[in-house]
Amino acid sequence: MHELGILSAVVKTVEQIAADEQLTQIDKIVLQVGELSGVVPSYVKDCYPAAVYKTSLADTELELEVVPGIVRCKECGTEFNAVQHDLKCPNCGSADLDALSGREFMIKEIHAC
Ligand SMILES: [Zn+2]
């Protein structure tokens, strides 16, 4: 599962930010995960306890904000949710698509108490 590796990188980044900003106690991390980012939100949730185990973030809460994977068909211009329509245009059936949103994977917020 590559989610664990990705989360370990997130943990390192958050620890770095916490050190830079002199945040002593982090409460919650908010991650933005796009449906087209290649990261599965439910796996991220499942992996989180393992990723933070024995780190300074062990007691933090993880919140995920899932960004819908919206694409535009290059053939007919229809905009639709790529996941709901299985990466095919519901209007013309083309699979030639431009991603408009949903590729995000970023740390959106770090809450310190
Ligand atoms: Zn189309």
Side-chain angles (χ1 to χ4, degrees):
M1 258 196 288
H2 73 158
E3 276 75 10
L4 187 55
I6 291 167
L7 272 178
S8 298
V10 167
V11 168
K12 282 206 178 71
T13 305
V14 172
E15 283 183 325
Q16 188 58 53
I17 293 169
D20 289 349
E21 311 262 321
Q22 296 178 329
L23 307 172
T24 46
Q25 180 74 54
I26 294 172
D27 212 22
K28 185 163 90 173
I29 300 170
V30 183
L31 289 183
Q32 223 173 26
V33 184
E35 285 181 333
L36 303 177
S37 67
V39 178
V40 183
S42 62
Y43 288 175
V44 171
K45 275 244 146 158
D46 290 349
C47 285
Y48 191 69
V52 295
Y53 182 66
K54 287 193 172 170
T55 72
S56 60
L57 303 179
D59 293 323
T60 55
E61 189 190 331
L62 175 70
E63 188 178 308
L64 292 181
E65 220 177 81
V66 179
V67 182
I70 304 298
V71 295
R72 184 192 289 124
C73 175
K74 285 189 190 173
E75 296 294 325
C76 71
T78 302
E79 290 180 14
F80 58 98
N81 184 304
V83 175
Q84 280 169 17
H85 294 283
D86 209 16
L87 296 172
K88 279 208 179 76
C89 176
N91 186 48
C92 71
S94 169
D96 199 4
L97 312 167
D98 264 334
L100 302 179
S101 73
R103 288 191 186 279
E104 301 76 356
F105 183 82
M106 53 179 278
I107 301 163
K108 196 188 172 205
E109 290 166 33
I110 298 170
H111 294 261
C113 46

